[in-house]
Amino acid sequence: MDDPEEFHAVFGTEPNLAYQEQTVHEILKHRRSLENELFFDRLLKAVGIDQASRLYPPRSNKDLQTLFQRIVNSTHPDHQKQSLVYYILKDLSQEKHKAEAFAKSSFLPSKYQIFIDGIWYLDRLKLERALDYLASPSLIPTFPDEILYTLCRHAPPQDATLPLAYYHTVAPPLATAKVLTPFFNRMCTASLTEAFYFSRRQGALRHQQLFEQLISSVLASHAGDARGNKARELIALPLDEEEEGWFEEFLMEGKGHSLPGARDTVMIRKVATGRVVDAVEFGRKLTGRKFDGVNWASLREGLQQGAKPLV
C-alpha cells in the first residue's frame, strides 16, 4: 500500500464507493439498541473525534472521505487510527478482503486486529462471535465494564453463559451499579450459591445491597419449578448472624416486605435452621394462611408439640 493515510490508497478509486443503504439502516438500529452509543463511537471519541453519530455511518462517498480524514488527521498513535480504518473496511461488504490486506500492509498489531474484530461483532450484537475475540488472553481489557453490561443486557433471557464467561476471563472492575446490578442478576440466574459468595467479597455496603437483590431475584420471579428450586436454595444458604438479620429485616420491614411469600420465607427459614421456638411465635402471625399448600396454623401446632419436653 502506497500511503495508508491517503484515501484512494486504502479504499480504491471507485467514485461511488459508499455504505449500502441496508448497512446504514442496521448500524443505526444497533446504535439505538446499544443506548445510542456504539463501541465504534467510543473508539472515535478516544482519538479525539467528537459527535461520532454525525460522522458514522457515512451515507456517501464524500461522507466516507470526511470520516477517513478526521481519523488520519488525529494526533493519536498510528495503530489506533489504523484500527479505526480497519473497522470501516470491515463494514464495506464489497471490500472485506481489503480489511485483511490493510491490516497486513499497515502492520497493524494482531492484538488490535483481534480487539476490533470483537468490537465489530459486538456492535452488531453478534455476542458469541464477539466473545471469541474479546476474551482473548492477548488483549489488554478495554471498555470491560461496558462490554460486560452489553453482554448482560442482550444475552438470551435466563442464560448467564456469555456474561459469566467474559467476567471470569477478563475480571472487569464492576465500577458502577449500572453494570454490577444486571451482572449480579445474571449470576443469580446461573447459581444462587455462587452469587451469595460473590456478594460477600464486595465490601460491606455492596454486600448488603447485593444480598437483598439476591433475595428479590428469587421471590420476584415467576412461580414454577425453577422458582421453587431457587427458593429452597435460598433457604439453605449458610448465613452468618449479620446476614440472618438482613434477611429478616428486608423481608419483614424493608423493601422486600411486599414481595410474594416474604413472611412465609422467613417462617420457612426459621424452621429449616432449627429455630423452633422462634418459628412457633412467628407462626402466630400466619394463622389461616397457606403457602405451597401448607397451612401455617397446622404447622404451628405441630411445631408446638415437637417443642414440648419429653416426660
Side-chain angles (χ1 to χ4, degrees):
M1 183 175 293
D2 296 331
D3 184 356
E5 294 195 356
E6 201 279 316
F7 180 83
H8 295 299
V10 176
F11 293 96
T13 57
E14 169 57 51
N16 296 319
L17 177 66
Y19 278 49
Q20 295 179 354
E21 183 178 345
Q22 180 63 27
T23 300
V24 171
H25 173 76
E26 289 178 355
I27 290 170
L28 295 176
K29 180 182 69 173
H30 290 137
R31 179 181 274 141
R32 289 192 295 270
S33 295
L34 291 167
E35 300 181 347
N36 296 314
E37 187 173 31
L38 295 163
F39 282 90
F40 187 69
D41 298 339
R42 293 183 172 94
L43 292 173
L44 287 174
K45 189 181 298 183
V47 297
I49 300 175
D50 296 324
Q51 298 180 320
S53 62
R54 294 187 178 183
L55 292 168
Y56 181 83
R59 271 72 166 183
S60 66
N61 183 270
K62 181 180 179 180
D63 291 341
L64 180 59
Q65 292 193 46
T66 298
L67 175 59
F68 177 78
Q69 287 304 319
R70 290 288 301 274
I71 292 171
V72 299
N73 290 339
S74 167
T75 58
H76 284 69
D78 286 346
H79 60 262
Q80 292 186 14
K81 296 186 289 186
Q82 291 162 356
S83 296
L84 297 175
V85 174
Y86 174 69
Y87 182 107
I88 293 170
L89 286 167
K90 287 177 66 67
D91 277 346
L92 296 166
S93 59
Q94 67 270 43
E95 303 294 319
K96 285 191 184 298
H97 66 283
K98 288 190 176 181
E100 294 294 331
F102 173 81
K104 183 176 181 179
S105 64
S106 61
F107 302 102
L108 180 64
S110 61
K111 64 181 180 180
Y112 288 96
Q113 185 175 353
I114 291 170
F115 176 68
I116 292 299
D117 285 336
I119 289 300
W120 190 85
Y121 281 115
L122 193 62
D123 275 342
R124 280 139 193 82
L125 296 177
K126 296 180 179 180
L127 305 185
E128 290 190 32
R129 291 297 305 274
L131 194 60
D132 287 342
Y133 295 98
L134 296 175
S136 170
S138 67
L139 298 183
I140 297 174
T142 304
F143 308 132
D145 273 3
E146 292 85 351
I147 291 171
L148 181 61
Y149 174 74
T150 300
L151 293 173
C152 289
R153 191 165 182 266
H154 293 282
Q158 305 303 313
D159 186 352
T161 305
L162 296 179
L164 285 176
Y166 184 74
Y167 173 77
H168 289 304
T169 302
V170 177
L174 305 175
T176 66
K178 180 179 179 179
V179 62
L180 178 60
T181 298
F183 173 67
F184 191 70
N185 279 333
R186 291 284 183 166
M187 184 173 278
C188 289
T189 297
S191 170
L192 210 66
T193 301
E194 181 181 352
F196 169 68
Y197 285 110
F198 172 87
S199 72
R200 283 183 165 181
R201 300 192 296 270
Q202 302 310 304
L205 179 59
R206 276 185 164 187
H207 180 193
Q208 182 173 3
Q209 292 172 342
L210 292 176
F211 181 69
E212 292 176 355
Q213 183 180 335
L214 180 148
I215 297 170
S216 296
S217 74
V218 176
L219 299 187
S221 60
H222 296 296
D225 291 342
R227 183 180 187 273
N229 291 335
K230 289 290 186 183
R232 284 187 285 274
E233 191 177 358
L234 172 65
I235 295 301
L237 290 175
L239 308 185
D240 61 25
E241 183 176 351
E242 184 176 42
E243 291 163 338
E244 202 74 64
W246 293 343
F247 185 87
E248 295 194 10
E249 180 182 359
F250 177 67
L251 291 176
M252 296 299 297
E253 302 171 5
K255 294 180 180 179
H257 78 279
S258 61
L259 289 169
R263 288 176 174 264
D264 303 306
T265 302
V266 173
M267 174 66 167
I268 296 171
R269 173 75 187 176
K270 289 179 181 293
V271 174
T273 53
R275 291 174 289 162
V276 177
V277 175
D278 285 350
V280 169
E281 183 60 30
F282 186 79
R284 299 182 192 282
K285 304 174 185 178
L286 303 176
T287 301
R289 295 176 55 175
K290 288 188 175 183
F291 180 72
D292 280 353
V294 176
N295 184 292
W296 290 123
S298 299
L299 178 59
R300 187 185 70 248
E301 292 176 5
L303 291 172
Q304 286 175 321
Q305 292 296 322
K308 289 181 179 179
L310 296 175
V311 180

